[in-house]
Amino acid sequence: MSADTVISLNLATTRPQWGFAEAVEGCLKAGITAISPWRDQIEAIGLDEAARIVKENKIRVTGVCRGGMFPGVDAADRQKRIDDNLRAIDEAAALNADCLVLVVGGLPGSSKDLPGAREQVTDGIAAMLPHANASGVKIAIEPLHPMYAADRACVNTTDQALDICEKLGETVGVALDVYHIWWDPNLANAIARAGRMKRIFAHHICDWLVPTKDMLLDRGMMGDGVIDLKAIRKMIEDAGFHGPQEVEIFSQDNWWKRPGDEVLQVIKERVATVC
Amino acid sequence: MSADTVISLNLATTRPQWGFAEAVEGCLKAGITAISPWRDQIEAIGLDEAARIVKENKIRVTGVCRGGMFPGVDAADRQKRIDDNLRAIDEAAALNADCLVLVVGGLPGSSKDLPGAREQVTDGIAAMLPHANASGVKIAIEPLHPMYAADRACVNTTDQALDICEKLGETVGVALDVYHIWWDPNLANAIARAGRMKRIFAHHICDWLVPTKDMLLDRGMMGDGVIDLKAIRKMIEDAGFHGPQEVEIFSQDNWWKRPGDEVLQVIKERVATVC
């Protein structure tokens, strides 16, 4: 592994095996010094203790997962969701995270109004932005694969996310996860555009398996699927982003069933060879 | 149901229940006078007999499913695939079909070269086009949902399909299936563009279920999911296409288990109310 292939472990990758503290211990043992935790994992150990572990071990936090989920059924519901995002900002700030990652949310209630949901997303980010900026926390919109448009995120392409970023200013960028964007016929142009805008805040990797048995929890280890990881990495690095590659694998039938140490070893081998 | 809500039955919708002849009989009984058969269904009854049934009953064939699957592992493989498309053209011509629908194919063999696969698709359509034009058969590229990019179709947005159409001439257009395109943030613009190009050759409907339990065989009946069918229909009609709405539902756990006559009755009710 060369010096410029720094790995961050998204802690969803070892969710069933390890809590926050165990994951940091496992990472350090494997020579991995960056993580991206989920909010429930932070909550389980407590924010203060999480921050202490991060600081004491000089861990880089490449992101906090996740804010977002803005669309609501009414004004009160939407405000509740914005309030939760304000708390997420505080957590990202306490961990000195590179960004707060947003999974923006899908259609609220029984709505079929996708353009309306997308407006609610832009409005929601705008509402949280003053607190984010005051806290020094960057916001990373993660465009999600179109198969999640209804229930998880109505922002589904890099260009669509960048259009929102342009409206909201330089502290709102994108988290580019190969799993969500690899299929995009306009991918090269969109990543170059993100680079010109200086809005690439994170780079997530895993792989797309064929067949994919579960739409959420059957992501592949890098090299086991069809994504041209080196090509996308080159696009992202040519666009000026040289941060860690953050490994985020939801895998209920495979990697979640193996010992965490083994998973990290395979990740290191694959990042060194196929990423 | 008003006069302008003409239904076509894509025969995949009643695949386990009915063969070609039974499906036509079921349609006529239900007052449906347009169909879109699959090639294996045509082959099972024989092309001559299928053509006789169509002609005798004055059935409109809104499409033949399907040509495509162009990307191959080598030149011989690609030629074999083109030859199969030439036969598909003959079948579409014999049935006087509105178009031959293309599911263009995904990554060949163990390739991860998506741009390369996309080039093979354009080249493959170009190779079949002289025979299609000589036979009076229009070619409809069906952009498929991005979740099928690896294994079924590397053309995944309406705009991407239209870019190919522009290269190949006015007899190559698009089949717009709401299941594949509903999530597209640029959908309204893309459909308007297709209209200006006069390239909308088919309009397929079903619905996107939440949750979707199977990536291929869990499509919903119109009204049971989240797609704003009326909004998309308006876009397509405003773009100048007023052909039948072709109902194409792959549903292994629900509609494929019900009597064909019942399925057609529900389709008629839903088209009259939610489409």
Side-chain angles (χ1 to χ4, degrees), chain B residues 4 24 95 184 196:
Chain B
D4 58 348
V24 169
L95 298 180
D184 185 347
R196 289 192 302 275

Side-chain angles (χ1 to χ4, degrees), chain A residues 107 111-114 118 145-151 154 156-157 160 182-186 207-208 210-215 223-229 274, chain B residues 107 111-114 118 145-151 154 156-157 160 182-186 207-208 210-215 223-229 274:
Chain A
L107 293 164
S111 167
K112 301 185 182 193
D113 180 9
L114 205 46
R118 287 163 172 164
H145 193 285
M147 68 184 174
Y148 305 121
D151 49 353
C154 59
N156 306 104
T157 68
Q160 184 193 4
W182 72 279
W183 60 271
D184 185 347
N186 198 44
D207 215 332
W208 180 279
V210 178
T212 292
K213 291 180 214 145
D214 184 277
M215 283 170 69
D224 290 345
V226 300
I227 301 178
D228 191 342
L229 292 158
V274 302
Chain B
L107 293 164
S111 168
K112 301 185 181 190
D113 181 8
L114 206 46
R118 286 162 172 166
H145 194 284
M147 69 183 173
Y148 304 121
D151 49 354
C154 59
N156 305 105
T157 68
Q160 185 192 4
W182 72 277
W183 59 272
D184 185 347
N186 197 44
D207 215 333
W208 180 279
V210 177
T212 291
K213 291 182 213 144
D214 184 278
M215 284 170 67
D224 290 344
V226 299
I227 301 178
D228 191 342
L229 293 158
V274 302

Side-chain angles (χ1 to χ4, degrees), chain B residues 202-234:
Chain B
H203 176 193
H204 298 184
I205 57 173
C206 65
D207 215 333
W208 180 279
L209 298 177
V210 177
T212 291
K213 291 182 213 144
D214 184 278
M215 284 170 67
L216 188 61
L217 303 178
D218 191 28
R219 296 192 188 190
M221 178 64 67
M222 297 77 72
D224 290 344
V226 299
I227 301 178
D228 191 342
L229 293 158
K230 285 183 196 252
I232 297 178
R233 180 182 173 196
K234 182 169 190 315

Side-chain angles (χ1 to χ4, degrees), chain B residues 36-54:
Chain B
S36 181
W38 285 63
R39 291 182 67 201
D40 63 302
Q41 296 172 315
I42 297 167
E43 191 183 0
I45 190 172
L47 180 58
D48 290 346
E49 176 63 3
R52 188 194 66 75
I53 290 172
V54 163

